[in-house]
C-alpha cells in the first residue's frame, strides 16, 4: 500500500484503519478490471456504497494511545463513515457516499442500495463494496461467549453437526451500471442483477433469532422483483448463522 499514491500523508496512513487501505486498493483494481480509467470519473455522478461492520483497529488505537496523542487523523482514519467518504474523495466522485452496517448482510444491502440509486437515476455508476478485517480478539470473544462460533472455526450449514460459524476476512468491490449504459459503452458485463429485496425479521424469539415467515416473504419479493420463478434459480448462497 503506497499512501502517497492515494494522496495520504504518512501520519494519516499510520493511524488509518487497514480496512480503509484495503478498500482503496480493491476499488482501484475493480475499476481496472472494468476497463475504466479512475481519473475519468472525477466530478461524475458515481455513488459509493460500502458495507462495513468491524471497528477493531479503532479499539486497538484507543488501547495504545493516550488521549493527548489523539488527533484529527485518528478520527478520519477510523470512523466507519470515512471509509466511503475517503474513496469518493480520492476518486473525485460526486454521487451518494454511504457506509452501511447491517451486520452479516452489509455487502448485499450495499448492492441493493446501489442498484436502487441506478434505477432511480440518482447516479450514473456505482461502486458497491464490503470489507472486513479481524484485528482485535474482542469481537471473537464476544461471539464465542454468545455461542455463535463453531468450535473448529468452520461453517457446516444445513449439516446436523452445525455448531456455529467461522468468521472471514476480505474485501470485494463491484462496478455497477444500468444495463443499457453498459451495452452502449461496450463494457465487459460479468453479470446482470435482475432484482433484489431487503427486509427485517421483526418479531421473533430473540434479537439474533431468524423469523422463517419473514425470510420466506423476502425470497418471494426478490423473485418477484427479478421476474424469475424459483425453478430458474440455479445457485443459492446461505449464511452460516441463518
Amino acid at each position: 500500500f503506497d499512501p502517497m499514491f492515494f494522496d495520504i500523508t504518512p501520519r494519516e496512513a499510520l493511524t488509518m484503519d487497514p480496512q480503509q487501505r484495503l478498500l482503496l486498493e480493491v476499488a482501484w483494481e475493480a475499476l481496472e478490471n472494468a476497463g475504466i480509467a479512475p481519473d475519468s470519473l472525477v466530478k461524475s455522478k458515481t455513488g459509493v456504497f460500502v458495507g462495513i461492520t468491524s471497528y477493531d483497529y479503532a479499539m486497538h488505537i484507543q488501547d495504545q494511545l493516550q488521549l493527548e496523542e489523539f488527533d484529527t487523523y485518528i478520527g478520519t482514519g477510523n470512523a466507519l463513515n470515512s471509509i466511503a467518504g475517503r474513496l469518493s474523495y480520492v476518486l473525485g466522485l460526486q454521487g451518494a457516499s454511504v457506509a452501511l452496517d447491517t451486520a452479516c448482510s452489509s455487502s448485499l444491502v450495499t448492492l441493493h442500495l446501489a442498484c436502487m440509486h441506478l434505477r432511480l437515476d440518482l447516479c450514473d455508476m456505482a461502486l458497491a463494496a464490503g470489507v472486513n478485517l479481524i484485528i482485535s480478539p474482542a469481537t471473537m470473544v464476544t461471539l464465542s461467549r454468545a455461542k455463535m462460533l463453531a468450535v473448529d472455526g468452520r461453517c457446516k450449514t444445513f449439516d446436523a453437526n452445525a455448531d456455529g460459524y467461522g468468521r472471514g476476512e476480505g474485501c470485494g468491490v463491484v462496478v455497477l451500471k444500468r444495463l443499457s449504459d453498459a451495452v452502449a459503452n461496450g463494457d465487459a458485463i460479468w453479470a446482470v442483477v435482475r432484482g433484489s429485496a431487503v427486509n427485517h425479521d421483526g418479531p421473533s424469539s430473540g434479537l439474533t433469532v431468524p423469523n422463517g415467515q419473514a425470510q420466506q416473504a423476502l425470497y418471494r419479493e426478490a423473485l418477484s422483483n427479478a421476474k424469475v420463478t424459483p425453478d430458474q434459480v440455479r445457485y443459492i448462497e446461505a449464511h452460516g448463522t441463518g
Side-chain angles (χ1 to χ4, degrees):
F1 178 81
D2 182 356
M4 299 303 292
F5 182 78
F6 292 105
D7 193 26
I8 298 168
T9 67
R11 169 61 181 171
E12 213 171 353
L14 183 65
T15 56
M16 183 187 295
D17 187 336
Q19 293 178 126
Q20 289 198 25
R21 307 180 195 184
L22 184 59
L23 177 68
L24 290 174
E25 292 185 46
V26 177
W28 194 275
E29 292 170 355
L31 291 171
E32 286 184 335
N33 182 266
I36 298 172
D39 57 6
S40 70
L41 300 177
V42 175
K43 294 187 178 180
S44 67
K45 220 169 141 184
T46 299
V48 171
F49 304 86
V50 183
I52 181 170
T53 189
S54 299
Y55 45 90
D56 290 11
Y57 196 68
M59 291 190 289
H60 170 73
I61 286 286
Q62 288 177 351
D63 289 341
Q64 297 297 315
L65 299 180
Q66 300 297 318
L67 285 177
E68 55 269 21
E69 297 179 88
F70 277 60
D71 58 22
T72 184
Y73 292 133
I74 290 178
T76 56
N78 291 275
L80 295 189
N81 54 65
S82 293
I83 196 163
R86 189 183 297 279
L87 181 55
S88 296
Y89 169 74
V90 166
L91 296 176
L93 312 179
Q94 294 187 326
S97 190
V98 179
L100 185 103
D101 178 6
T102 58
C104 314
S105 62
S106 297
S107 57
L108 285 176
V109 177
T110 63
L111 181 70
H112 173 75
L113 290 180
C115 289
M116 286 181 60
H117 273 246
L118 287 166
R119 290 186 176 119
L120 294 173
D121 287 328
L122 298 176
C123 61
D124 298 323
M125 194 177 88
L127 301 178
V131 63
N132 186 65
L133 289 177
I134 302 170
I135 300 170
S136 164
T139 302
M140 300 292 283
V141 171
T142 300
L143 293 173
S144 179
R145 287 180 175 165
K147 302 188 184 304
M148 292 182 177
L149 298 181
V151 175
D152 59 2
R154 299 179 65 86
C155 295
K156 297 173 283 291
T157 314
F158 304 125
D159 191 299
N161 295 319
D163 59 349
Y165 77 108
R167 298 181 70 202
E169 298 180 297
C171 179
V173 180
V174 291
V175 181
L176 301 170
K177 285 186 178 181
R178 287 179 286 273
L179 181 59
S180 57
D181 292 342
V183 171
N185 294 334
D187 294 329
I189 301 171
W190 298 109
V192 176
V193 181
R194 295 189 177 276
S196 60
V198 171
N199 78 351
H200 191 277
D201 285 335
S204 64
S205 59
L207 176 64
T208 61
V209 180
N211 179 329
Q213 292 183 336
Q215 294 191 353
Q216 289 175 40
L218 180 66
Y219 300 149
R220 294 191 182 99
E221 183 182 350
L223 290 167
S224 175
N225 290 341
K227 295 181 173 58
V228 298
T229 55
D231 60 295
Q232 293 176 285
V233 177
R234 299 183 62 185
Y235 178 85
I236 296 173
E237 191 271 345
H239 184 13
T241 56

